[in-house]
Amino acid sequence: MSNSKNPHELFNWINDTIKKLLKTKNDEEKASIVKEIHDELLKLEQVKLPPPSEGRKKDPEAEIHYPETVKEIQDIVKDAYNSGNTIVRVIGSNHSIKDAIWDAPPDKTVKLLSLSKFNGVDINQADQTATVKAGTHLNRDPLDSNSTDENSFNYIIDKAGFALPDLGGIAHQTVGGFLSTGSSGGSLKYSIEDSIVSISLINGKGDIETLKYGEDKFFAAGVSMGLYGIITHVTFKLIPNYYIYGSQVCAIMNSGLNPDYQEGCPIDLLGPGTQTVPSLQKFFAEDDNEYTRLFWWPQDRVNRLTIWKAKRTNVNDLEGYVKPTSPYKEFPEYFGSEIPAQILARIVYVILNLFLSDEEWYKKIAALLLSLFNGIVLQSFQDIWYKGIPMDDQVSDTILPTTFTELWFSIDQTQELMNKLDKVFKRGPSAVGNNATELYTAKESKFWLSPSYGQNVVRIDFLYFEGNLIGTPEEFFSQYWEEFKNDNFRCHWGKYVPKNYGEKVPSLYKKYNDWINIRKEMDPKQIFVTPYWRNILNIEELSK
């Protein structure tokens, strides 16, 4: 292939090559074709694929401290309190956007703490509780050398016969970080927050406080973004461990409604539903759909809905299966691995971003490329709880680094939101992008600053591939922030939020003033406050 090919010729070549890939049955030939596409793209001066990123950002450009004991954490906080010129922040697993983790004020010293060496679990079999150090990862974090399967929270409690009621779609995070940002799994029936008994933290004076369920401080500190203090321990009430079983289907939305995914779409995404096909809101609430996640691929000529759902079961109920587990696969396997398909997905995203166009030839190729990952197929799976619920854990943060803005709405708005979203997508490729839109739910929370405080919610995740060569996440997300600005959405605290979000926060959270007042007590010298959080949460500077 010549380097002088214009975009139309390039896409014709890609079109023919992808068709050949679809027809190929041999795994080695498939891998060879994927490599051929990759190599040809690298030859083109105008299509320089960025090298795979380091995934989640590694240590920020500031001094990192790795305390291993509560006293070491206390000493750092007390030093900051006494100096009056130091900000202390915990970086967690670096899973949030950078500014949410740290945002150095120009006139202050910043001390960043990694609790990756502050990990461990103490299980009380008698009362079925577990007290876990905040730096312990839920599941193994592949980008943290201190994290292993054996020292992860979920692995340890499962081996003891216990479980948590829910997890997020990814479980690399530390326990402290997951709770601090109000993260949630996709369920209207279960929530990890329901199992929390107490939270211990070191406040802004360096004192240890243990906050128990039922206390105002407990409900205030449960989602506090590190602004109340440094969480050291969390105690959970555990439940017996369990398996989940479920299925994933992909359906074409514009083929009509039909409970058979091969004949039509089994969810009425935009309407009230029928006797045989539920509305989206009803689907989320159905008894058998204890855990759910949907991907909407709204690109013209694609318009597919990937529907993942699961339910709990006891291991004894899995008799009859050849294996006790049959894990969910988000990507097809080549040579026993999902990595080759993820590499292909990376190439597809870069191509579609680079040649973004409203012309018909682009839509045709985009549909063909995206359909590679959205075949009209049924996948059944069953797995142990901590491996099955985080359905995205096997996606490489290095090959497919993805960021997003996550908007939380009252569940009662679901149909109205989907129709509004459909109108946005119909504006064309620039409004759709090269990725899917994720649809989730979350159970009502009692934590004052949880995005699901006081109501069950539907969550819309607008995904952005960080390997895109053109554009920025903020540019892409801004169109959605503007479209839904009057719909009173709440944002995931660890992801991208609108610049003016801080103006709306006080009206979005009815316990906001109470939360702010307790925060002043917990952190009187504002040693945990960065400019980013001062703006997002309207935290006033101390009077001089």
Side-chain angles (χ1 to χ4, degrees), residues 41-56:
L41 288 172
L42 287 177
K43 292 178 184 177
L44 302 174
E45 290 185 359
Q46 72 270 35
V47 188
K48 291 184 178 178
L49 284 173
S53 76
E54 293 299 321
R56 299 189 303 284

Side-chain angles (χ1 to χ4, degrees), residues 79 122 323 540:
D79 287 345
D122 183 18
K323 301 186 223 176
E540 296 180 358

Side-chain angles (χ1 to χ4, degrees), residues 86 118 131 169 180 205 289 321 350 502 529 543:
T86 302
F118 184 74
T131 298
S180 293
K205 300 175 187 177
N289 301 339
Y321 287 109
V350 171
V529 183
S543 56

Side-chain angles (χ1 to χ4, degrees), residues 320-508:
Y321 287 109
V322 176
K323 301 186 223 176
T325 63
S326 177
Y328 167 70
K329 303 295 182 184
E330 190 159 343
F331 290 86
E333 286 190 342
Y334 300 115
F335 310 110
S337 171
E338 295 182 52
I339 295 301
Q342 292 183 34
I343 293 173
L344 178 58
R346 177 183 175 86
I347 296 169
V348 168
Y349 290 154
V350 171
I351 292 171
L352 297 184
N353 168 257
L354 193 64
F355 292 99
L356 187 67
S357 170
D358 285 317
E359 296 184 28
E360 194 63 26
W361 62 268
Y362 172 85
K363 295 178 181 179
K364 178 180 178 182
I365 298 298
L368 179 62
L369 293 177
L370 291 175
S371 296
L372 284 172
F373 312 108
N374 296 283
I376 310 302
V377 296
L378 167 68
Q379 178 185 172
S380 296
F381 55 85
Q382 58 273 342
D383 210 342
I384 190 66
W385 64 278
Y386 71 92
K387 294 182 178 180
I389 297 175
M391 72 290 286
D392 296 327
D393 250 10
Q394 302 308 311
V395 178
S396 169
D397 288 331
T398 299
I399 298 171
L400 291 174
T402 302
T403 191
F404 54 92
T405 185
E406 183 171 287
L407 311 186
W408 303 46
F409 305 85
S410 168
I411 193 73
D412 295 332
Q413 296 175 261
T414 301
Q415 185 177 333
E416 173 190 348
L417 294 169
M418 293 304 104
N419 279 277
K420 182 176 289 190
L421 195 53
D422 185 51
K423 291 178 181 177
V424 175
F425 289 152
K426 287 178 179 176
R427 293 174 188 167
S430 61
V432 173
N434 58 350
N435 213 325
T437 295
E438 192 170 19
L439 306 176
Y440 253 159
T441 60
K443 185 183 176 184
E444 176 182 356
S445 172
K446 293 182 179 179
F447 288 140
W448 292 353
L449 252 60
S450 167
S452 63
Y453 174 73
Q455 60 186 14
N456 289 336
V457 300
V458 59
R459 297 146 58 192
I460 306 178
D461 291 15
F462 297 101
L463 308 181
Y464 186 87
F465 174 56
E466 292 185 292
N468 285 340
L469 298 178
I470 298 174
T472 66
E474 294 92 335
E475 291 171 345
F476 182 66
F477 298 148
S478 63
Q479 61 187 321
Y480 303 112
W481 294 332
E482 177 65 22
E483 187 66 33
F484 294 105
K485 66 181 180 181
N486 295 323
D487 291 290
N488 294 321
F489 62 79
R490 298 169 178 170
C491 290
H492 187 305
W493 294 111
K495 306 305 175 185
Y496 282 92
V497 304
K499 287 185 178 180
N500 66 343
Y501 189 58
E503 299 172 7
K504 296 185 175 183
V505 166
S507 64
L508 292 173

Side-chain angles (χ1 to χ4, degrees), residues 128-130 132 153 164 175 192 195-197 234-238:
Q128 299 186 351
T129 61
V132 56
F153 181 44
L164 296 174
V175 170
I192 192 172
S195 61
I196 301 174
V197 175
V234 181
T235 299
F236 294 88
K237 180 69 174 179
L238 305 176

